[in-house]
Amino acid sequence: MYWTLELASYLEDAPWPATKDELIDYSIRSGAPMEVVENLQDLEDDGQPYENIEEVWPDYPTKEDFMFNEDEY
C-alpha cells in the first residue's frame, strides 16, 4: 500500500466518518484511480469508522504543515 498526495486527495471530500467499505464505495463512485481502491482494500477493518483522512494516511499534510501566513493576505 502506498499513498501519494494526489491519491489521497480523492478522499478529501469523502463522507467522514466512514467505514472501510463506505470509503471504497465512495472512491469507486467518484471515479478515483484504481490505486485508491486497492489502498483502501489493504486497510485494516476493525469495524470502526475512520474519522478523517489522517486516520487512513497519517502522513497526509495539513494546513499546519505549510508555511503560509494568512494574515499577510
Side-chain angles (χ1 to χ4, degrees):
M1 175 171 71
Y2 70 95
W3 287 101
T4 65
L5 187 55
E6 180 184 355
L7 292 177
S9 69
Y10 286 97
L11 297 177
E12 283 183 336
D13 295 328
W16 303 103
T19 63
K20 175 182 171 179
D21 291 336
E22 290 171 337
L23 290 173
I24 292 170
D25 182 58
Y26 172 80
S27 64
I28 291 170
R29 287 186 293 112
S30 65
M34 200 59 196
E35 289 90 350
V36 174
V37 176
E38 291 169 357
N39 285 347
L40 291 171
Q41 289 172 340
D42 288 344
L43 290 176
E44 291 183 24
D45 189 10
D46 59 3
Q48 296 294 319
Y50 292 93
E51 295 296 323
N52 53 42
I53 194 154
E54 287 85 10
E55 288 187 13
V56 173
W57 185 38
D59 293 334
Y60 186 76
T62 60
K63 283 187 174 184
E64 291 82 35
D65 294 332
F66 297 100
M67 300 291 197
F68 180 75
N69 187 355
E70 292 179 357
D71 296 333
E72 292 181 5
Y73 297 96

PDB file of all heavy atoms in Angstrom, residues 24-37:
ATOM      1  N   ILE A  24     -14.432   2.701   0.173  1.00  0.00           N
ATOM      2  CA  ILE A  24     -14.232   2.009  -1.101  1.00  0.00           C
ATOM      3  C   ILE A  24     -15.367   2.345  -2.055  1.00  0.00           C
ATOM      4  O   ILE A  24     -15.138   2.672  -3.220  1.00  0.00           O
ATOM      5  CB  ILE A  24     -14.104   0.481  -0.884  1.00  0.00           C
ATOM      6  CG1 ILE A  24     -12.799   0.161  -0.150  1.00  0.00           C
ATOM      7  CG2 ILE A  24     -14.191  -0.273  -2.201  1.00  0.00           C
ATOM      8  CD1 ILE A  24     -12.675  -1.276   0.322  1.00  0.00           C
ATOM      9  N   ASP A  25     -16.602   2.292  -1.568  1.00  0.00           N
ATOM     10  CA  ASP A  25     -17.764   2.625  -2.390  1.00  0.00           C
ATOM     11  C   ASP A  25     -17.680   4.065  -2.890  1.00  0.00           C
ATOM     12  O   ASP A  25     -17.909   4.341  -4.063  1.00  0.00           O
ATOM     13  CB  ASP A  25     -19.052   2.410  -1.591  1.00  0.00           C
ATOM     14  CG  ASP A  25     -20.283   2.691  -2.414  1.00  0.00           C
ATOM     15  OD1 ASP A  25     -20.450   2.043  -3.467  1.00  0.00           O
ATOM     16  OD2 ASP A  25     -21.084   3.560  -2.006  1.00  0.00           O
ATOM     17  N   TYR A  26     -17.307   4.994  -2.007  1.00  0.00           N
ATOM     18  CA  TYR A  26     -17.184   6.398  -2.393  1.00  0.00           C
ATOM     19  C   TYR A  26     -16.118   6.581  -3.475  1.00  0.00           C
ATOM     20  O   TYR A  26     -16.328   7.303  -4.452  1.00  0.00           O
ATOM     21  CB  TYR A  26     -16.838   7.264  -1.177  1.00  0.00           C
ATOM     22  CG  TYR A  26     -16.518   8.683  -1.548  1.00  0.00           C
ATOM     23  CD1 TYR A  26     -17.518   9.598  -1.808  1.00  0.00           C
ATOM     24  CD2 TYR A  26     -15.192   9.112  -1.679  1.00  0.00           C
ATOM     25  CE1 TYR A  26     -17.225  10.892  -2.179  1.00  0.00           C
ATOM     26  CE2 TYR A  26     -14.886  10.398  -2.041  1.00  0.00           C
ATOM     27  CZ  TYR A  26     -15.905  11.292  -2.291  1.00  0.00           C
ATOM     28  OH  TYR A  26     -15.613  12.578  -2.679  1.00  0.00           O
ATOM     29  N   SER A  27     -14.969   5.933  -3.299  1.00  0.00           N
ATOM     30  CA  SER A  27     -13.886   6.116  -4.268  1.00  0.00           C
ATOM     31  C   SER A  27     -14.268   5.556  -5.643  1.00  0.00           C
ATOM     32  O   SER A  27     -13.915   6.134  -6.667  1.00  0.00           O
ATOM     33  CB  SER A  27     -12.590   5.500  -3.761  1.00  0.00           C
ATOM     34  OG  SER A  27     -12.714   4.111  -3.621  1.00  0.00           O
ATOM     35  N   ILE A  28     -15.012   4.468  -5.671  1.00  0.00           N
ATOM     36  CA  ILE A  28     -15.454   3.904  -6.952  1.00  0.00           C
ATOM     37  C   ILE A  28     -16.457   4.845  -7.612  1.00  0.00           C
ATOM     38  O   ILE A  28     -16.356   5.153  -8.800  1.00  0.00           O
ATOM     39  CB  ILE A  28     -16.050   2.497  -6.746  1.00  0.00           C
ATOM     40  CG1 ILE A  28     -14.948   1.512  -6.345  1.00  0.00           C
ATOM     41  CG2 ILE A  28     -16.771   2.022  -8.009  1.00  0.00           C
ATOM     42  CD1 ILE A  28     -15.461   0.161  -5.885  1.00  0.00           C
ATOM     43  N   ARG A  29     -17.445   5.314  -6.828  1.00  0.00           N
ATOM     44  CA  ARG A  29     -18.483   6.194  -7.384  1.00  0.00           C
ATOM     45  C   ARG A  29     -17.929   7.538  -7.827  1.00  0.00           C
ATOM     46  O   ARG A  29     -18.433   8.138  -8.771  1.00  0.00           O
ATOM     47  CB  ARG A  29     -19.601   6.418  -6.356  1.00  0.00           C
ATOM     48  CG  ARG A  29     -20.489   5.211  -6.153  1.00  0.00           C
ATOM     49  CD  ARG A  29     -21.669   5.497  -5.244  1.00  0.00           C
ATOM     50  NE  ARG A  29     -21.237   5.775  -3.876  1.00  0.00           N
ATOM     51  CZ  ARG A  29     -21.326   6.956  -3.261  1.00  0.00           C
ATOM     52  NH1 ARG A  29     -21.865   7.984  -3.882  1.00  0.00           N
ATOM     53  NH2 ARG A  29     -20.903   7.119  -2.030  1.00  0.00           N
ATOM     54  N   SER A  30     -16.888   8.012  -7.164  1.00  0.00           N
ATOM     55  CA  SER A  30     -16.335   9.324  -7.517  1.00  0.00           C
ATOM     56  C   SER A  30     -15.305   9.251  -8.641  1.00  0.00           C
ATOM     57  O   SER A  30     -14.791  10.282  -9.068  1.00  0.00           O
ATOM     58  CB  SER A  30     -15.713   9.980  -6.287  1.00  0.00           C
ATOM     59  OG  SER A  30     -14.595   9.249  -5.840  1.00  0.00           O
ATOM     60  N   GLY A  31     -14.996   8.055  -9.106  1.00  0.00           N
ATOM     61  CA  GLY A  31     -14.070   7.914 -10.230  1.00  0.00           C
ATOM     62  C   GLY A  31     -12.607   8.002  -9.852  1.00  0.00           C
ATOM     63  O   GLY A  31     -11.777   8.364 -10.687  1.00  0.00           O
ATOM     64  N   ALA A  32     -12.283   7.681  -8.618  1.00  0.00           N
ATOM     65  CA  ALA A  32     -10.889   7.705  -8.182  1.00  0.00           C
ATOM     66  C   ALA A  32     -10.106   6.607  -8.898  1.00  0.00           C
ATOM     67  O   ALA A  32     -10.676   5.589  -9.304  1.00  0.00           O
ATOM     68  CB  ALA A  32     -10.812   7.498  -6.673  1.00  0.00           C
ATOM     69  N   PRO A  33      -8.806   6.792  -9.064  1.00  0.00           N
ATOM     70  CA  PRO A  33      -7.983   5.757  -9.702  1.00  0.00           C
ATOM     71  C   PRO A  33      -8.040   4.437  -8.931  1.00  0.00           C
ATOM     72  O   PRO A  33      -8.294   4.417  -7.723  1.00  0.00           O
ATOM     73  CB  PRO A  33      -6.568   6.337  -9.650  1.00  0.00           C
ATOM     74  CG  PRO A  33      -6.738   7.789  -9.433  1.00  0.00           C
ATOM     75  CD  PRO A  33      -8.023   7.966  -8.693  1.00  0.00           C
ATOM     76  N   MET A  34      -7.789   3.358  -9.618  1.00  0.00           N
ATOM     77  CA  MET A  34      -7.845   2.025  -9.022  1.00  0.00           C
ATOM     78  C   MET A  34      -6.853   1.883  -7.864  1.00  0.00           C
ATOM     79  O   MET A  34      -7.088   1.108  -6.937  1.00  0.00           O
ATOM     80  CB  MET A  34      -7.579   0.972 -10.110  1.00  0.00           C
ATOM     81  CG  MET A  34      -8.071  -0.374  -9.755  1.00  0.00           C
ATOM     82  SD  MET A  34      -9.857  -0.277  -9.472  1.00  0.00           S
ATOM     83  CE  MET A  34     -10.099  -1.799  -8.642  1.00  0.00           C
ATOM     84  N   GLU A  35      -5.758   2.639  -7.892  1.00  0.00           N
ATOM     85  CA  GLU A  35      -4.778   2.580  -6.810  1.00  0.00           C
ATOM     86  C   GLU A  35      -5.401   3.001  -5.476  1.00  0.00           C
ATOM     87  O   GLU A  35      -5.054   2.463  -4.428  1.00  0.00           O
ATOM     88  CB  GLU A  35      -3.565   3.473  -7.103  1.00  0.00           C
ATOM     89  CG  GLU A  35      -2.677   2.953  -8.207  1.00  0.00           C
ATOM     90  CD  GLU A  35      -3.092   3.484  -9.580  1.00  0.00           C
ATOM     91  OE1 GLU A  35      -4.177   4.109  -9.702  1.00  0.00           O
ATOM     92  OE2 GLU A  35      -2.348   3.257 -10.531  1.00  0.00           O
ATOM     93  N   VAL A  36      -6.339   3.958  -5.508  1.00  0.00           N
ATOM     94  CA  VAL A  36      -7.007   4.398  -4.288  1.00  0.00           C
ATOM     95  C   VAL A  36      -7.841   3.248  -3.729  1.00  0.00           C
ATOM     96  O   VAL A  36      -7.791   2.953  -2.526  1.00  0.00           O
ATOM     97  CB  VAL A  36      -7.889   5.644  -4.554  1.00  0.00           C
ATOM     98  CG1 VAL A  36      -8.687   6.011  -3.319  1.00  0.00           C
ATOM     99  CG2 VAL A  36      -7.044   6.814  -5.020  1.00  0.00           C
ATOM    100  N   VAL A  37      -8.594   2.580  -4.594  1.00  0.00           N
ATOM    101  CA  VAL A  37      -9.420   1.450  -4.164  1.00  0.00           C
ATOM    102  C   VAL A  37      -8.540   0.341  -3.599  1.00  0.00           C
ATOM    103  O   VAL A  37      -8.843  -0.233  -2.547  1.00  0.00           O
ATOM    104  CB  VAL A  37     -10.289   0.928  -5.331  1.00  0.00           C
ATOM    105  CG1 VAL A  37     -11.074  -0.299  -4.925  1.00  0.00           C
ATOM    106  CG2 VAL A  37     -11.214   2.025  -5.849  1.00  0.00           C
TER     107      VAL A  37
END
